[in-house]
Amino acid sequence: MSDIGWEGQVALVTGATRGIGAAIARELAARGVHVVGTATSDDGAQRITQALAAYPGCQGVRLDVTDGAAAEAVVASIVKERGALHILVNNAGITRDTLAMRLKDEDWDAVLDTNLKAVFRLCRAAIRPMMKQRYGRIVNITSVVGATGNPGQANYAAAKAGVAGMTRALARELGSRRITVNCVAPGFIETDMTASLPAEQQQALLAQIPLGHLGKPADVAHAVAFLASPHAGYITGQELHVNGGMFMA
Ligand code: NDP
């Protein structure tokens, strides 16, 4: 697989209904990748299929990433039906923000289950076919908050920092099989997730961004496509920050 190109590669992108995941799915599809994008509802899955209708081999499927058996089944059916899985993008994520003293166990668990445990399970499911084909690109979406911390996001920061650590461990495990594992850490990107932040918090965040504006989902999607590319084969275990300079590692 040394001369593999984009055309006809198969990708699984979680949380592809909107925001960053939708942009990633579009970006890969536009390069000729056959993208399977996930949604939590049938309706959402249908919308993904429609949004990617111009690109051959793309479709939306329903998946709640916290359902381990369903996640394994989606990976298995992709490999069975399409013969391979080249790219996994773990993008689906949630927030349940509140100050630590008020943070309930269920909000801790929901964020850790969706943003960390589910990412591990999908990686585990994808590793087997990637090892067999001796090629793979795993890109996990973390967050600037995993590196900097943020008041009100102890659960989210813990999950994202956990994904970054897990990524480095997997990169070491899988390097000899030509599977790369990296993260893209968005800063403050215009999506539903950030639209719900109070105006004063949005202004405070903006003041910390040297480039002076929020990022767009496409800014993150381009970075993901770079790391998912066949040409990024000598980059593994890295976290690529896409944040307008608000945090410089
Ligand atoms: P959105 O809230 O806009 O979209 C979230 C996506 O995740 C949706 O497609 C949603 O599906 C999916 N999703 C949520 N829960 C589940 C679940 N249990 N199973 C499967 N899919 C699920 O988020 P963003 O686009 O803003 O964020 C995407 C990623 O980027 C997340 O990992 C987030 O943490 C990260 N990020 C975002 C930043 C930002 O500024 N926006 C900053 C840093 C990181 P559905 O529509 O079906 O509910």
Side-chain angles (χ1 to χ4, degrees), residues 63-77 121-122 124-125:
L63 174 66
D64 175 346
V65 293
T66 63
D67 180 341
E72 281 183 20
V74 163
V75 171
S77 81
R121 281 166 155 173
L122 275 159
R124 186 176 57 191

Side-chain angles (χ1 to χ4, degrees), residues 15 17-18 20 40 63-65 91 142 156 160 187 189 191 194:
T17 50
R18 51 199 161 98
I20 293 169
T40 55
L63 174 66
D64 175 346
V65 293
N91 164 79
T142 53
Y156 184 76
K160 294 298 191 181
I189 310 296
T191 68
T194 47

Side-chain angles (χ1 to χ4, degrees), residues 10 77-86 133:
V10 179
S77 81
I78 290 173
V79 174
K80 185 162 177 255
E81 285 163 26
R82 294 161 183 266
L85 176 62
H86 303 96
Q133 71 205 15

